[in-house]
Amino acid sequence: QVQLVESGGGLVQPGGSLRLSCAASGSRFSINVMGWYRQAPGKQRELVATITKDGTINYAEPVKGRFTISRDNFKNTVYPQMNSLKPEDTAVYYCNVPTNWGNYWGRGTQVTVSS
């Protein structure tokens, strides 16, 4: 069983920045992929970015050039740095860890971009 604890959401003005974090615990095995997804009201959950243990990164097109994801393997923590935020980035952001024995999600953290 993997537990995911997210933090860092909030209200920010357009053009502003936020840094989220997600700490994973409880895994007996090394965690390879850690990622973030988001879900806006009335829309399906969508990928934001993923990062592997060796640092391979995948960004969704809408966030490329604005978001940067990093990871601390020792702490099993992943950090998306979100810059140049837009109102359309408003969503609940979810941490995700897919494993061979289960697909784990955090509870989500609200990010609201509004003036």
Side-chain angles (χ1 to χ4, degrees):
Q1 191 77 5
V2 177
Q3 292 81 42
L4 302 174
V5 178
E6 301 139 329
S7 63
L11 173 64
V12 63
Q13 292 186 342
S17 298
L18 278 177
R19 188 188 193 218
L20 307 181
S21 68
C22 170
S25 62
S27 175
R28 296 184 181 179
F29 304 99
S30 175
I31 294 175
N32 185 23
V33 180
M34 299 185 75
W36 283 85
Y37 288 71
R38 66 186 182 185
Q39 188 166 16
K43 295 187 176 181
Q44 289 188 336
R45 193 171 296 188
E46 63 177 11
L47 171 72
V48 176
T50 60
I51 182 168
T52 65
K53 189 176 182 180
D54 66 1
T56 301
I57 294 172
N58 178 43
Y59 292 106
E61 282 296 327
V63 308
K64 281 184 179 178
R66 300 187 297 121
F67 291 14
T68 303
I69 192 168
S70 61
R71 176 172 172 169
D72 183 329
N73 288 330
F74 182 75
K75 295 180 179 179
N76 272 337
T77 301
V78 61
Y79 307 96
Q81 174 68 43
M82 307 186 296
N83 299 326
S84 302
L85 283 161
K86 304 175 181 180
E88 51 263 44
D89 294 317
T90 295
V92 178
Y93 283 70
Y94 296 91
C95 183
N96 172 252
V97 170
T99 71
N100 290 334
W101 58 94
N103 191 25
Y104 298 95
W105 294 92
R107 291 187 174 184
T109 183
Q110 176 70 45
V111 171
T112 302
V113 185
S114 175
S115 55

